[in-house]
Amino acid sequence: MTTAAARRFSVAPMMDWTDRNCRLFHRALTREALLYTEMVTTGAVRFGPRERLIGFSPAEQPVAVQLGGSEPTELAEAARICEDFGYVEVNLNVGCPSDRVQDGRFGACLMAEPARVADCVAAMKAAVSVPVTVKCRIGIDDQDPEQALDALAEAVLAAGCDALIVHARKAWLKGLSPKENRDVPPLDYGRVLRLKARRPEAFIAINGGIADLDAAQALLAPRDGVALDGVMLGRAAYQNPELLLGVDPLLFGRAAPFASAKEAAESLTPAIEAHLARGGRLSNFTRHMLGLFPGKPGARAFRRHLSVEAPKAGAGVEVLRAALDLVDESGSMARASEAA
């Protein structure tokens, strides 16, 4: 499958969440979706411990790296390094509103500098052969989203940007925390559709407030002859990872990797054992699983067992197996069979 095809559904880059262990877990639930790293700065890629920061398993593919930066030459160098590591896409963050990111002159504040973003994209495109994409907001602060998003889109697309992923909210750089910026500014899906109508040839994906696969399918459906090319889920995919089991059959016409979330979790046993052998902790994996089994008998006991036992020194895969044994998936599986 091409990267563009995988981009039809992607799991958003999320700081402190979408690390390599999380991505292996998500890959057990969907073979087709495009997965993203946490954002990593150009300085970290160029001078930091690369294997720890951007290393990943081939089993995670297709996986894209998200870079934070605003200097074209530095982004080009970081992009080359990431391509050499095997990433199938390099994404530029033009959407994060945190103070730390603003102090570094990257993230959402770059919405005010479309020409600079275009220079960054052009430099990365010249440096790598994999797709270069941009994730942005519809505007910042007092910007008019109609003008701000068009200005950024026109600039980066002219520079060769392969896809634009739009978080359909403004970012308020002053007055709102990063957490509030994910909820308080109102969603405006119509603004993203208007961009797609203006640039039908461009790959335009949408992000922000998409709660489930029904909402994702609705956003991919044509409206007045306009159809978005992709959807990106963030918190919904992380907090209710079981929904990812429906991605391949519903959005790609392929069978799900496993018949149940329990089977998917159990399939990670070899990867977890290898992680433990390298000195890692069980909780490095299981913290990403706590949202499994919503509404199923035993889900609360599953979460409690993992929360208490997995962080303990010496905890092994038997802790995960014991937690999984507390969950009864039979009722939901029977209902799904009847519905089918």
Side-chain angles (χ1 to χ4, degrees):
M1 176 178 291
T2 66
T3 305
R7 211 182 288 125
R8 176 173 170 80
F9 181 95
S10 58
V11 178
M14 292 175 279
M15 293 299 295
D16 299 321
W17 286 3
T18 52
D19 61 21
R20 61 194 302 174
N21 300 322
C22 175
R23 296 192 303 267
L24 271 176
F25 170 48
H26 286 175
R27 184 56 71 211
L29 298 164
T30 168
R31 295 284 186 253
E32 308 299 334
L34 181 63
L35 305 181
Y36 281 81
T37 68
E38 304 166 89
M39 183 189 70
V40 58
T41 65
T42 55
V45 172
R46 293 162 66 225
F47 305 117
R50 291 175 187 168
E51 180 57 36
R52 180 172 67 82
L53 292 171
I54 60 171
F56 69 98
S57 165
E60 298 171 40
Q61 291 283 26
V63 60
V65 62
Q66 186 182 67
L67 295 178
S70 60
E71 293 296 330
T73 56
E74 295 176 2
L75 280 162
E77 181 184 352
R80 278 194 297 270
I81 293 167
C82 291
E83 182 180 41
D84 288 344
F85 263 71
Y87 287 99
V88 300
E89 175 186 305
V90 179
N91 178 265
L92 178 62
N93 184 318
V94 188
C96 181
S98 76
D99 291 339
R100 182 177 67 86
V101 165
Q102 292 180 57
D103 291 342
R105 198 187 175 191
F106 59 94
C109 65
L110 288 174
M111 291 291 301
E113 300 186 76
R116 171 174 284 273
V117 180
D119 289 343
C120 292
V121 168
M124 289 189 287
K125 287 288 293 182
V128 300
S129 60
V130 296
V132 172
T133 65
V134 170
K135 186 172 187 290
C136 67
R137 296 281 185 134
I138 61 173
I140 55 171
D141 298 335
D142 293 321
Q143 284 184 327
D144 177 355
E146 298 300 324
Q147 298 174 3
L149 183 57
D150 277 356
L152 183 80
E154 295 301 326
V156 300
L157 292 173
C161 178
D162 293 286
L164 192 62
I165 303 106
V166 185
H167 185 158
R169 284 188 175 96
K170 267 191 174 185
W172 289 91
L173 304 183
K174 300 186 185 301
L176 292 181
S177 69
K179 181 179 184 300
E180 290 170 327
N181 262 301
R182 293 192 292 267
D183 294 302
V184 175
L187 287 162
D188 188 353
Y189 293 152
R191 178 65 193 93
V192 186
L193 283 164
R194 290 193 294 279
L195 173 64
K196 178 61 182 177
R198 287 189 66 254
R199 297 300 302 263
E201 82 292 351
F203 191 107
I204 307 292
I206 194 166
N207 169 236
I210 305 170
D212 51 38
L213 296 186
D214 287 341
Q217 286 182 299
L219 286 167
L220 289 170
R223 298 185 188 184
D224 299 323
V226 178
L228 294 168
D229 302 291
V231 293
M232 174 182 278
L233 267 66
R235 285 169 294 164
Y238 187 89
Q239 294 168 349
N240 179 19
E242 196 162 346
L243 71 79
L244 295 175
L245 271 179
V247 167
D248 294 359
L250 290 176
L251 298 180
F252 292 94
R254 307 284 181 85
F258 294 96
S260 70
K262 185 179 288 190
E263 289 183 16
E266 288 173 342
S267 76
L268 291 172
T269 297
I272 294 173
E273 289 177 331
H275 175 73
L276 296 174
R278 293 191 298 269
R281 286 182 174 267
L282 179 66
S283 58
N284 298 149
F285 266 92
T286 57
R287 72 185 184 96
H288 303 301
M289 300 180 183
L290 297 177
L292 283 175
F293 314 117
K296 293 183 174 63
R300 183 176 298 180
F302 167 81
R303 292 192 298 271
R304 185 187 310 115
H305 189 78
L306 286 185
S307 297
V308 172
E309 300 297 330
K312 293 180 178 178
V317 292
E318 71 280 354
V319 171
L320 174 59
R321 290 191 177 111
L324 291 170
D325 285 342
L326 296 170
V327 181
D328 178 11
E329 288 188 305
S330 59
S332 61
M333 292 174 70
R335 286 192 295 273
S337 177
E338 293 170 4

